[in-house]
Amino acid sequence: MQFDLTEEHLMIQRAARDFAQNELKPGIIERDEHQKFPAEQIKKLGELGFMGMMVSPEYGGSGMDAISYSIVMEELSKIDASTSVVVSVNNSLVCYGLEKFGNQAQKQKYLVPLAQGDVIGAFCLSEPEAGSDATSQRTTAIDMGDHYLLNGTKNWITGGSTASTFIVIAQTDVAKKHRGINAFIVEKGWEGFTVGPKENKMGVRGSDTHSLMFNDVKVPKENRIGEDGFGFKFAMAALEGGRIGIASQALGIASGAYELSVQYAKERQAFGKALADLQAIQFKLADMATEIEAARLLCYRAAWLKDNHLPYAQAASMAKLFASETAMRTTIEAVQIHGGYGYVKEYHVERLMRDAKITQIYEGTSEIQRIVISRELLK
């Protein structure tokens, strides 16, 4: 087994780390406080090839592997999870789904600009009463012959106001249950498509999260992805890959909090010695580092399985479950190590703690991950 990153992976890691330090860190506190979308930073990430990392160069992507994607997500998330979640959605949910399941016309029209970072994509599954349950869709798409008539509400949509291309999951035939669900490509600005107010969130405040309303939106027949009734399988496949991205985001949040804690423990004096010389602090740092390393290996394993076209649903859920809980525990300890300074914004760890919580919720809660894992174990 090979545990070392390749030279290419290390180069990608350095590029992502430099970008995070030089482009994301300046202004991060202000963006968080004022819920400012990192538009300039996202544009530069597109120029670096990070908005379509795993997409084939044929469609404007970088042609990288999933391990590279995990590495980039970790490095960006150490500094700014609001930016990394936009990268995650565009890569894992939107670009992945379009490249794997879209037809050539859809790829040329929608995938190419998404992969190049010219526009941003959004994935619309969650509903007021459905969450991430793709089988309980209330949004409907009625077949009208040459088009579908889309009606319903989606909520908690990352990129709700900044995205231009939306993949919307909707029920076409209620009687068929999950076999009657379809996935559609919807463009911003279509008549009947309304973006609701921005959510005032606890964490990842720089990313824009909105509810979306569809009132008799006409969706051309050619904008359905796959055969009729393929939407449920599409959503499940997209979420599997998405969990690798969110696991890596959680890993990055934990890593960022840990690195800040090590630095602070070396510099801060208490009881006549550095915090780092106190055994209580040493034990906290040892536990943090151990859990982070375990989370990283789980993320890389899931990514490796995906790269090698092997089943990875269980591995992705394990990574997402463990990494998100590690992020929560690590950031809480980071605030504790910083003491009173950890409670103020300029030391960054309080933001990382707020950001960590969402990793336990989106792409399926920790409870959902346990269901997925246990189903695989009991097959």
Side-chain angles (χ1 to χ4, degrees):
M1 300 176 71
Q2 177 60 260
F3 289 98
D4 292 331
L5 295 177
T6 66
E7 187 56 44
E8 181 181 356
H9 287 146
L10 290 172
M11 181 180 67
I12 292 167
Q13 184 181 57
R14 286 192 293 269
R17 185 175 297 164
D18 289 345
F19 183 89
Q21 290 293 329
N22 299 326
E23 300 289 345
L24 294 183
K25 194 170 183 178
I28 177 60
I29 294 174
E30 180 188 2
R31 292 198 302 275
D32 173 78
E33 188 167 351
H34 297 288
Q35 302 187 72
K36 183 179 178 182
F37 183 77
E40 181 181 344
Q41 290 79 6
I42 293 295
K43 183 177 184 297
K44 290 180 179 179
L45 283 166
E47 294 169 356
L48 285 173
F50 286 167
M51 296 303 287
M53 291 188 65
M54 296 170 286
V55 176
S56 167
E58 178 185 357
Y59 301 112
S62 302
M64 300 182 196
D65 59 10
I67 292 178
S68 298
Y69 169 57
S70 180
I71 290 168
V72 169
M73 282 296 298
E74 178 183 356
E75 293 300 327
L76 298 181
S77 303
K78 286 179 181 180
I79 304 298
D80 188 0
S82 294
T83 296
S84 69
V85 71
V86 179
V87 174
S88 177
V89 170
N90 207 71
N91 276 282
S92 295
L93 301 179
V94 182
C95 286
Y96 169 76
L98 284 172
E99 182 172 30
K100 187 169 180 63
F101 302 112
N103 59 40
Q104 285 299 319
Q106 291 168 348
K107 291 177 184 179
Q108 291 297 332
K109 183 176 182 180
Y110 296 108
L111 178 58
V112 171
L114 285 163
Q116 292 176 337
D118 296 332
V119 298
I120 298 171
F123 185 76
C124 308
L125 173 65
S126 294
E127 295 185 356
E129 297 181 16
S132 296
D133 182 5
T135 64
S136 302
Q137 299 297 296
R138 299 290 182 89
T139 299
T140 60
I142 305 304
D143 192 340
M144 304 298 290
D146 64 340
H147 68 275
Y148 289 90
L149 213 54
L150 186 65
N151 283 278
T153 300
K154 297 292 183 180
N155 65 348
W156 313 119
I157 305 304
T158 299
S161 65
T162 54
S164 298
T165 302
F166 300 78
I167 295 181
V168 182
I169 310 299
Q171 186 83 52
T172 300
D173 190 336
V174 176
K176 292 182 179 179
K177 298 182 179 179
H178 72 279
R179 293 184 177 85
I181 293 172
N182 280 299
F184 302 94
I185 305 170
V186 177
E187 296 180 26
K188 187 176 187 177
W190 282 357
E191 186 177 354
F193 180 8
T194 306
V195 178
K198 179 189 283 189
E199 301 290 351
N200 188 2
K201 308 189 299 292
M202 177 176 78
V204 289
R205 289 169 56 81
S207 68
D208 60 316
T209 305
H210 296 258
S211 292
L212 307 178
M213 283 71 73
F214 306 97
N215 183 19
D216 286 343
V217 177
K218 292 183 177 180
V219 181
K221 214 56 172 289
E222 59 265 26
N223 277 39
R224 186 188 72 204
I225 302 174
E227 298 296 321
D228 186 29
F230 182 69
F232 177 77
K233 290 183 178 179
F234 176 93
M236 293 301 98
L239 287 175
E240 283 181 12
R243 284 166 186 151
I244 295 175
I246 297 308
S248 302
Q249 181 188 48
L251 168 64
I253 293 170
S255 297
Y258 165 74
E259 290 176 4
L260 288 169
S261 297
V262 170
Q263 178 182 345
Y264 183 81
K266 290 179 178 179
E267 296 172 352
R268 175 68 170 167
Q269 296 286 320
F271 306 106
K273 59 174 68 175
L275 285 184
D277 292 330
L278 300 176
Q279 193 175 68
I281 301 300
Q282 293 171 355
F283 281 8
K284 287 181 184 293
L285 294 173
D287 288 344
M288 292 160 75
T290 301
E291 291 194 8
I292 288 167
E293 187 62 24
R296 184 176 292 113
L297 290 172
L298 283 171
C299 289
Y300 287 0
R301 178 174 179 268
W304 181 88
L305 289 170
K306 185 175 186 290
D307 285 334
N308 286 274
H309 310 290
L310 296 170
Y312 65 91
Q314 177 181 291
S317 286
M318 284 180 170
K320 199 268 186 184
L321 171 64
F322 188 79
S324 63
E325 296 193 348
T326 294
M328 201 70 249
R329 286 190 294 267
T330 299
T331 53
I332 288 172
E333 289 286 37
V335 171
Q336 194 71 19
I337 289 171
H338 280 73
Y341 292 106
Y343 212 65
V344 296
K345 294 182 182 297
E346 67 179 287
Y347 283 79
H348 299 290
V349 288
E350 64 83 29
R351 183 188 71 256
L352 291 169
M353 184 177 72
R354 288 186 285 107
D355 289 347
K357 187 59 189 176
I358 193 61
T359 67
Q360 293 181 303
I361 298 172
Y362 54 21
E363 305 297 336
T365 62
S366 295
E367 290 74 21
I368 289 176
Q369 304 316 312
R370 289 182 168 93
I371 291 171
V372 173
I373 294 165
S374 62
R375 282 177 178 172
E376 293 294 320
L377 293 173
L378 296 171
K379 276 185 178 179

